[in-house]
Amino acid sequence: MSSQVYESKKVLSEYLAFHYGQPDELMPYDFGPKDALDFPKRCADLCLKHFRHQEGAPSRALDIGCAVGRSSFELARGVDQVLGIDYSQSFIDCANRLRDTGQVDYELLEEGDLFRPALAQVPQDIERVRVTFEQGDACKLRPDLGAFDLVLAANLICRLHHPRQFLSQLTRLMPRPGALLVITAPYTWMTEFTDKSEWLGGRRDEAGDPVTGFDGLQKELSLDFELLQSLDMPFIIRETRRKNQWTVAHATVWRRR
């Protein structure tokens, strides 16, 4: 399931809406959790709030699990070079079309077989040439990616087959002290994506004590990274005009020691 779930036209449309949908498209009511909109932009804003550009070389950011690229483009407002990587080829193909043309037509599901046209657009004041995209496996990133000053992993960690394997690569990707790491996760551990033996949290240890996803991140990262901030970030994914997924991600901000 996990290898193909993000390749369908339905999911691609949902993520285009998630990343680029207008408020009146996503929340066409006078009520509703409007603070959950624009999650990919808010992730990039959180990164740039804490980002420190080291002089002497172009700054580089990695958006791992970039989906259709909104956070990658938003990071380009404050970073010289941004690389977005996602496991889904359809996501990456769409992100590259957005980079090349600035916009992509898609359809929003209203109900049943009824759709309405929609347009995903990258904000015109963003320099899209700063961003590149490629398909890749977060747990087996190619060794020649180079060093990054900033890494964003948004809602990725609990969808990986081997989350510790991903985390173990961060010291190589972020060798310089002061490099920034931002991870968001709803900690929705599911065996469809991650074997229970690989879960960072959502389980009990050998003594029977509960272990949360945040506990697992702290165990894996605290030796090489300092925790700067921990906060809750709501987000909403539109399925139909009247059905939405409302979720709260836990965001943690880390600085390389």
Side-chain angles (χ1 to χ4, degrees), residues 63-217:
D63 180 10
I64 182 68
C66 66
V68 290
R70 178 68 185 275
S71 295
S72 303
F73 289 121
E74 294 291 340
L75 287 172
R77 295 183 186 274
V79 182
D80 297 316
Q81 301 171 4
V82 182
L83 173 61
I85 296 179
D86 199 276
Y87 193 73
S88 167
Q89 188 64 57
S90 67
F91 282 179
I92 291 300
D93 290 344
C94 187
N96 275 317
R97 291 199 301 274
L98 284 160
R99 180 189 184 274
D100 293 342
T101 67
Q103 62 184 43
V104 165
D105 292 306
Y106 69 106
E107 291 183 320
L108 286 169
L109 175 60
E110 294 286 87
E111 61 177 274
D113 291 330
L114 303 178
F115 297 84
R116 58 177 289 193
L119 181 66
Q121 289 182 295
V122 181
Q124 293 185 358
D125 60 338
I126 291 176
E127 296 182 49
R128 303 194 308 274
V129 294
R130 294 188 178 195
V131 185
T132 56
F133 295 101
E134 65 179 65
Q135 191 275 339
D137 184 342
C139 299
K140 298 178 182 179
L141 293 169
R142 56 184 176 88
D144 58 347
L145 284 178
F148 295 92
D149 306 290
L150 190 164
V151 172
L152 169 63
N155 296 354
L156 172 75
I157 199 73
C158 52
R159 286 294 179 268
L160 297 176
H161 292 305
H162 306 288
R164 292 180 185 84
Q165 192 170 321
F166 162 67
L167 295 173
S168 70
Q169 302 169 97
L170 292 175
T171 52
R172 169 175 63 85
L173 294 168
M174 309 170 68
R176 292 188 285 271
L180 187 74
L181 169 66
V182 175
I183 296 176
T184 74
Y187 304 136
T188 50
W189 308 105
M190 300 171 64
T191 55
E192 291 91 336
F193 296 95
T194 314
D195 188 84
K196 279 192 176 182
S197 64
E198 298 283 342
W199 289 6
L200 295 182
R203 56 180 177 81
R204 294 187 180 273
D205 63 17
E206 295 180 354
D209 296 322
V211 178
T212 68
F214 185 36
D215 293 332
L217 284 178

Side-chain angles (χ1 to χ4, degrees), residues 207-256:
D209 296 322
V211 178
T212 68
F214 185 36
D215 293 332
L217 284 178
Q218 289 179 300
K219 180 180 179 181
E220 298 297 322
L221 295 175
S222 58
L223 180 65
D224 298 300
F225 294 86
E226 174 192 2
L227 180 65
L228 301 182
Q229 187 178 4
S230 167
L231 68 155
D232 293 322
M233 292 181 62
F235 65 91
I236 192 164
I237 296 180
R238 180 192 189 278
E239 292 189 34
T240 71
R241 180 180 176 84
R242 298 182 180 274
K243 183 185 178 186
N244 300 275
Q245 301 175 31
W246 182 83
T247 311
V248 179
H250 181 218
T252 52
V253 183
W254 310 78
R255 183 87 66 195
R256 182 75 158 91

Side-chain angles (χ1 to χ4, degrees), residues 13-23 25-29 31-40 42 155 233-249:
S13 294
E14 289 177 358
Y15 271 77
L16 282 167
F18 180 38
H19 281 230
Y20 302 98
Q22 298 301 307
E25 294 174 330
L26 303 179
M27 196 64 56
Y29 308 103
F31 53 88
K34 297 184 186 297
D35 61 344
L37 302 177
D38 281 328
F39 179 80
R42 285 185 285 123
N155 296 354
M233 292 181 62
F235 65 91
I236 192 164
I237 296 180
R238 180 192 189 278
E239 292 189 34
T240 71
R241 180 180 176 84
R242 298 182 180 274
K243 183 185 178 186
N244 300 275
Q245 301 175 31
W246 182 83
T247 311
V248 179

